Amino acid sequence: MIRGIIFVIAGAAVSVLAMKPAAAQQPTGGAWRFVVSGDSRNCGDVVMPGIAETAKKNQAAFYWHLGDLRAIYSFDEDIQHQPEHIAKPLSIADYENIAWPDFIDSQIAPFGSIPFFVGIGNHETIPPLKTREDFLLQFADWLDTPVLRAQRLRDNPQDHRLKTYFHWIDRGVAFYYLDSASAEQFDGAQMGWFERTLAKDLADPAVTAIVAGMHKALPESISAGHSMNESPNGIESGRRVYADLLRAQNDAHKHVYVLASHSHYYMDGIFNTAYWKQNGGVLPGWIVGTSGAVRYALPPNSADAHGALMNVYGSLVGTVQPNGEIGFEFEKLAEADIPESVTSRYGHEFVHWCFVENSQAK
């Protein structure tokens, strides 16, 4: 049997981009919303269309994916259960060829006209199967949208190179996707870019909030065992980014929010740890690895979080106020929320399997 809620959730944070006219996105009083989650391997082709419906219902300005699109090291169960691949099972070579195009067709397409921002995760960097260069080539259309390209050139008119980390500003909120997907990150080039760009945002009175999203969470979180703590460079560079964000909050007086996935559960208050209480302070932070990947048990110290859920799918909805303050709410996805078109394609039995059996935390 699947376990249910472990703690009652509090608010939750998230972010991504808007291309539609602002008026179409406003819930009330000039506020607007975005939706974010990550880790959509295994059952993502079933779960992500449901998250797309959450985004549509909330009139989201954009959806932001925090990485781990497909399993890559082995077959995704949803791809195996597509009717054409039940009739003629895939070889692993065939799977490798179709995994990312399947993500585009089955997980991006359901969002329709809602802008989709895609981040890199560790499953996108499994050599020799997939590399950063492969990711840049496959997802260039999403990494070099007019919004991202224009912002990149505003930040640095000489910066014509596509990268796996990026930045944009939407209605006074500066969003950053940081590439924490592998052990050598954040490397020197990414750190230099981040700190130069952040300095400009902190000096700009029109920027009222900073939202940093990434795959692996910054170090010394409640989820430290599955985070940037996995490598010495991740610890060092991640602590440095955390200190930069603390200064943004405490010295520049910006609203600051930090989002990650990598761990396949929901958690609010991930930096409420003894380390950060003793080393500068606690930033608002969330993990939302709830887009279809095989679900994990919560870490032993999860009671220190403001709220946590395991064995759930869903997404974070961020509501941005005109002053840059963002309220976050986790929207849990139920089996009944999966669109009928998806259930018809995969069958009720497999959809039910995703909700009941796709878990390491039974």
Side-chain angles (χ1 to χ4, degrees), residues 95-106:
Y95 164 77
E96 292 295 340
N97 288 332
I98 70 166
W100 284 353
D102 171 81
F103 174 81
I104 293 169
D105 293 342
S106 300

mmCIF file with all atom_site columns, all heavy atoms in Angstrom, residues 95-106:
data_model
loop_
_atom_site.group_PDB
_atom_site.id
_atom_site.type_symbol
_atom_site.label_atom_id
_atom_site.label_alt_id
_atom_site.label_comp_id
_atom_site.label_asym_id
_atom_site.label_entity_id
_atom_site.label_seq_id
_atom_site.pdbx_PDB_ins_code
_atom_site.Cartn_x
_atom_site.Cartn_y
_atom_site.Cartn_z
_atom_site.occupancy
_atom_site.B_iso_or_equiv
_atom_site.pdbx_formal_charge
_atom_site.auth_seq_id
_atom_site.auth_comp_id
_atom_site.auth_asym_id
_atom_site.auth_atom_id
_atom_site.pdbx_PDB_model_num
ATOM 1   N N   . TYR A 1 95  ? 15.415 2.765  -27.339 1.00 0.00 ? 95  TYR A N   1
ATOM 2   C CA  . TYR A 1 95  ? 14.964 3.620  -26.226 1.00 0.00 ? 95  TYR A CA  1
ATOM 3   C C   . TYR A 1 95  ? 15.821 4.876  -26.137 1.00 0.00 ? 95  TYR A C   1
ATOM 4   O O   . TYR A 1 95  ? 15.293 5.991  -25.996 1.00 0.00 ? 95  TYR A O   1
ATOM 5   C CB  . TYR A 1 95  ? 15.004 2.848  -24.903 1.00 0.00 ? 95  TYR A CB  1
ATOM 6   C CG  . TYR A 1 95  ? 14.940 3.773  -23.706 1.00 0.00 ? 95  TYR A CG  1
ATOM 7   C CD1 . TYR A 1 95  ? 13.737 4.354  -23.303 1.00 0.00 ? 95  TYR A CD1 1
ATOM 8   C CD2 . TYR A 1 95  ? 16.101 4.109  -23.008 1.00 0.00 ? 95  TYR A CD2 1
ATOM 9   C CE1 . TYR A 1 95  ? 13.687 5.237  -22.238 1.00 0.00 ? 95  TYR A CE1 1
ATOM 10  C CE2 . TYR A 1 95  ? 16.057 4.983  -21.932 1.00 0.00 ? 95  TYR A CE2 1
ATOM 11  C CZ  . TYR A 1 95  ? 14.862 5.551  -21.551 1.00 0.00 ? 95  TYR A CZ  1
ATOM 12  O OH  . TYR A 1 95  ? 14.824 6.432  -20.498 1.00 0.00 ? 95  TYR A OH  1
ATOM 13  N N   . GLU A 1 96  ? 17.130 4.723  -26.205 1.00 0.00 ? 96  GLU A N   1
ATOM 14  C CA  . GLU A 1 96  ? 18.016 5.894  -26.088 1.00 0.00 ? 96  GLU A CA  1
ATOM 15  C C   . GLU A 1 96  ? 17.719 6.915  -27.182 1.00 0.00 ? 96  GLU A C   1
ATOM 16  O O   . GLU A 1 96  ? 17.797 8.131  -26.951 1.00 0.00 ? 96  GLU A O   1
ATOM 17  C CB  . GLU A 1 96  ? 19.486 5.460  -26.165 1.00 0.00 ? 96  GLU A CB  1
ATOM 18  C CG  . GLU A 1 96  ? 19.971 4.638  -24.991 1.00 0.00 ? 96  GLU A CG  1
ATOM 19  C CD  . GLU A 1 96  ? 19.982 5.410  -23.690 1.00 0.00 ? 96  GLU A CD  1
ATOM 20  O OE1 . GLU A 1 96  ? 19.976 6.650  -23.730 1.00 0.00 ? 96  GLU A OE1 1
ATOM 21  O OE2 . GLU A 1 96  ? 19.986 4.763  -22.629 1.00 0.00 ? 96  GLU A OE2 1
ATOM 22  N N   . ASN A 1 97  ? 17.355 6.444  -28.349 1.00 0.00 ? 97  ASN A N   1
ATOM 23  C CA  . ASN A 1 97  ? 17.079 7.349  -29.464 1.00 0.00 ? 97  ASN A CA  1
ATOM 24  C C   . ASN A 1 97  ? 15.775 8.121  -29.286 1.00 0.00 ? 97  ASN A C   1
ATOM 25  O O   . ASN A 1 97  ? 15.658 9.256  -29.760 1.00 0.00 ? 97  ASN A O   1
ATOM 26  C CB  . ASN A 1 97  ? 17.047 6.578  -30.777 1.00 0.00 ? 97  ASN A CB  1
ATOM 27  C CG  . ASN A 1 97  ? 18.418 6.134  -31.223 1.00 0.00 ? 97  ASN A CG  1
ATOM 28  O OD1 . ASN A 1 97  ? 19.422 6.770  -30.906 1.00 0.00 ? 97  ASN A OD1 1
ATOM 29  N ND2 . ASN A 1 97  ? 18.481 5.020  -31.950 1.00 0.00 ? 97  ASN A ND2 1
ATOM 30  N N   . ILE A 1 98  ? 14.796 7.502  -28.613 1.00 0.00 ? 98  ILE A N   1
ATOM 31  C CA  . ILE A 1 98  ? 13.479 8.151  -28.547 1.00 0.00 ? 98  ILE A CA  1
ATOM 32  C C   . ILE A 1 98  ? 13.186 8.809  -27.197 1.00 0.00 ? 98  ILE A C   1
ATOM 33  O O   . ILE A 1 98  ? 12.180 9.511  -27.072 1.00 0.00 ? 98  ILE A O   1
ATOM 34  C CB  . ILE A 1 98  ? 12.344 7.160  -28.863 1.00 0.00 ? 98  ILE A CB  1
ATOM 35  C CG1 . ILE A 1 98  ? 12.174 6.139  -27.729 1.00 0.00 ? 98  ILE A CG1 1
ATOM 36  C CG2 . ILE A 1 98  ? 12.563 6.488  -30.211 1.00 0.00 ? 98  ILE A CG2 1
ATOM 37  C CD1 . ILE A 1 98  ? 10.886 5.354  -27.812 1.00 0.00 ? 98  ILE A CD1 1
ATOM 38  N N   . ALA A 1 99  ? 14.038 8.597  -26.188 1.00 0.00 ? 99  ALA A N   1
ATOM 39  C CA  . ALA A 1 99  ? 13.701 9.045  -24.827 1.00 0.00 ? 99  ALA A CA  1
ATOM 40  C C   . ALA A 1 99  ? 13.426 10.542 -24.758 1.00 0.00 ? 99  ALA A C   1
ATOM 41  O O   . ALA A 1 99  ? 12.395 10.967 -24.197 1.00 0.00 ? 99  ALA A O   1
ATOM 42  C CB  . ALA A 1 99  ? 14.813 8.658  -23.854 1.00 0.00 ? 99  ALA A CB  1
ATOM 43  N N   . TRP A 1 100 ? 14.324 11.363 -25.290 1.00 0.00 ? 100 TRP A N   1
ATOM 44  C CA  . TRP A 1 100 ? 14.110 12.807 -25.205 1.00 0.00 ? 100 TRP A CA  1
ATOM 45  C C   . TRP A 1 100 ? 13.029 13.305 -26.169 1.00 0.00 ? 100 TRP A C   1
ATOM 46  O O   . TRP A 1 100 ? 12.207 14.144 -25.784 1.00 0.00 ? 100 TRP A O   1
ATOM 47  C CB  . TRP A 1 100 ? 15.424 13.548 -25.406 1.00 0.00 ? 100 TRP A CB  1
ATOM 48  C CG  . TRP A 1 100 ? 16.310 13.494 -24.180 1.00 0.00 ? 100 TRP A CG  1
ATOM 49  C CD1 . TRP A 1 100 ? 15.984 12.984 -22.949 1.00 0.00 ? 100 TRP A CD1 1
ATOM 50  C CD2 . TRP A 1 100 ? 17.649 13.970 -24.081 1.00 0.00 ? 100 TRP A CD2 1
ATOM 51  N NE1 . TRP A 1 100 ? 17.047 13.115 -22.086 1.00 0.00 ? 100 TRP A NE1 1
ATOM 52  C CE2 . TRP A 1 100 ? 18.083 13.716 -22.747 1.00 0.00 ? 100 TRP A CE2 1
ATOM 53  C CE3 . TRP A 1 100 ? 18.537 14.574 -24.960 1.00 0.00 ? 100 TRP A CE3 1
ATOM 54  C CZ2 . TRP A 1 100 ? 19.367 14.063 -22.299 1.00 0.00 ? 100 TRP A CZ2 1
ATOM 55  C CZ3 . TRP A 1 100 ? 19.811 14.914 -24.519 1.00 0.00 ? 100 TRP A CZ3 1
ATOM 56  C CH2 . TRP A 1 100 ? 20.216 14.668 -23.204 1.00 0.00 ? 100 TRP A CH2 1
ATOM 57  N N   . PRO A 1 101 ? 12.976 12.801 -27.418 1.00 0.00 ? 101 PRO A N   1
ATOM 58  C CA  . PRO A 1 101 ? 11.829 13.176 -28.250 1.00 0.00 ? 101 PRO A CA  1
ATOM 59  C C   . PRO A 1 101 ? 10.489 12.786 -27.619 1.00 0.00 ? 101 PRO A C   1
ATOM 60  O O   . PRO A 1 101 ? 9.501  13.519 -27.748 1.00 0.00 ? 101 PRO A O   1
ATOM 61  C CB  . PRO A 1 101 ? 12.085 12.414 -29.556 1.00 0.00 ? 101 PRO A CB  1
ATOM 62  C CG  . PRO A 1 101 ? 13.575 12.304 -29.623 1.00 0.00 ? 101 PRO A CG  1
ATOM 63  C CD  . PRO A 1 101 ? 14.015 12.085 -28.198 1.00 0.00 ? 101 PRO A CD  1
ATOM 64  N N   . ASP A 1 102 ? 10.466 11.650 -26.918 1.00 0.00 ? 102 ASP A N   1
ATOM 65  C CA  . ASP A 1 102 ? 9.245  11.273 -26.202 1.00 0.00 ? 102 ASP A CA  1
ATOM 66  C C   . ASP A 1 102 ? 8.905  12.293 -25.126 1.00 0.00 ? 102 ASP A C   1
ATOM 67  O O   . ASP A 1 102 ? 7.727  12.634 -24.936 1.00 0.00 ? 102 ASP A O   1
ATOM 68  C CB  . ASP A 1 102 ? 9.413  9.892  -25.567 1.00 0.00 ? 102 ASP A CB  1
ATOM 69  C CG  . ASP A 1 102 ? 8.258  9.550  -24.629 1.00 0.00 ? 102 ASP A CG  1
ATOM 70  O OD1 . ASP A 1 102 ? 7.209  9.124  -25.126 1.00 0.00 ? 102 ASP A OD1 1
ATOM 71  O OD2 . ASP A 1 102 ? 8.409  9.747  -23.401 1.00 0.00 ? 102 ASP A OD2 1
ATOM 72  N N   . PHE A 1 103 ? 9.907  12.793 -24.405 1.00 0.00 ? 103 PHE A N   1
ATOM 73  C CA  . PHE A 1 103 ? 9.660  13.829 -23.402 1.00 0.00 ? 103 PHE A CA  1
ATOM 74  C C   . PHE A 1 103 ? 9.000  15.047 -24.044 1.00 0.00 ? 103 PHE A C   1
ATOM 75  O O   . PHE A 1 103 ? 8.046  15.624 -23.502 1.00 0.00 ? 103 PHE A O   1
ATOM 76  C CB  . PHE A 1 103 ? 10.975 14.228 -22.727 1.00 0.00 ? 103 PHE A CB  1
ATOM 77  C CG  . PHE A 1 103 ? 10.856 15.389 -21.788 1.00 0.00 ? 103 PHE A CG  1
ATOM 78  C CD1 . PHE A 1 103 ? 10.391 15.221 -20.488 1.00 0.00 ? 103 PHE A CD1 1
ATOM 79  C CD2 . PHE A 1 103 ? 11.214 16.674 -22.197 1.00 0.00 ? 103 PHE A CD2 1
ATOM 80  C CE1 . PHE A 1 103 ? 10.277 16.295 -19.614 1.00 0.00 ? 103 PHE A CE1 1
ATOM 81  C CE2 . PHE A 1 103 ? 11.109 17.751 -21.336 1.00 0.00 ? 103 PHE A CE2 1
ATOM 82  C CZ  . PHE A 1 103 ? 10.635 17.560 -20.040 1.00 0.00 ? 103 PHE A CZ  1
ATOM 83  N N   . ILE A 1 104 ? 9.505  15.450 -25.198 1.00 0.00 ? 104 ILE A N   1
ATOM 84  C CA  . ILE A 1 104 ? 8.941  16.613 -25.889 1.00 0.00 ? 104 ILE A CA  1
ATOM 85  C C   . ILE A 1 104 ? 7.482  16.338 -26.293 1.00 0.00 ? 104 ILE A C   1
ATOM 86  O O   . ILE A 1 104 ? 6.595  17.165 -26.045 1.00 0.00 ? 104 ILE A O   1
ATOM 87  C CB  . ILE A 1 104 ? 9.804  16.961 -27.118 1.00 0.00 ? 104 ILE A CB  1
ATOM 88  C CG1 . ILE A 1 104 ? 11.188 17.455 -26.662 1.00 0.00 ? 104 ILE A CG1 1
ATOM 89  C CG2 . ILE A 1 104 ? 9.104  18.022 -27.983 1.00 0.00 ? 104 ILE A CG2 1
ATOM 90  C CD1 . ILE A 1 104 ? 12.202 17.570 -27.786 1.00 0.00 ? 104 ILE A CD1 1
ATOM 91  N N   . ASP A 1 105 ? 7.236  15.171 -26.870 1.00 0.00 ? 105 ASP A N   1
ATOM 92  C CA  . ASP A 1 105 ? 5.899  14.853 -27.366 1.00 0.00 ? 105 ASP A CA  1
ATOM 93  C C   . ASP A 1 105 ? 4.894  14.575 -26.244 1.00 0.00 ? 105 ASP A C   1
ATOM 94  O O   . ASP A 1 105 ? 3.723  14.970 -26.339 1.00 0.00 ? 105 ASP A O   1
ATOM 95  C CB  . ASP A 1 105 ? 5.958  13.623 -28.281 1.00 0.00 ? 105 ASP A CB  1
ATOM 96  C CG  . ASP A 1 105 ? 6.716  13.886 -29.569 1.00 0.00 ? 105 ASP A CG  1
ATOM 97  O OD1 . ASP A 1 105 ? 6.896  15.065 -29.922 1.00 0.00 ? 105 ASP A OD1 1
ATOM 98  O OD2 . ASP A 1 105 ? 7.161  12.911 -30.199 1.00 0.00 ? 105 ASP A OD2 1
ATOM 99  N N   . SER A 1 106 ? 5.339  13.892 -25.188 1.00 0.00 ? 106 SER A N   1
ATOM 100 C CA  . SER A 1 106 ? 4.415  13.422 -24.162 1.00 0.00 ? 106 SER A CA  1
ATOM 101 C C   . SER A 1 106 ? 4.341  14.331 -22.941 1.00 0.00 ? 106 SER A C   1
ATOM 102 O O   . SER A 1 106 ? 3.353  14.271 -22.201 1.00 0.00 ? 106 SER A O   1
ATOM 103 C CB  . SER A 1 106 ? 4.819  12.010 -23.703 1.00 0.00 ? 106 SER A CB  1
ATOM 104 O OG  . SER A 1 106 ? 4.792  11.094 -24.777 1.00 0.00 ? 106 SER A OG  1
#
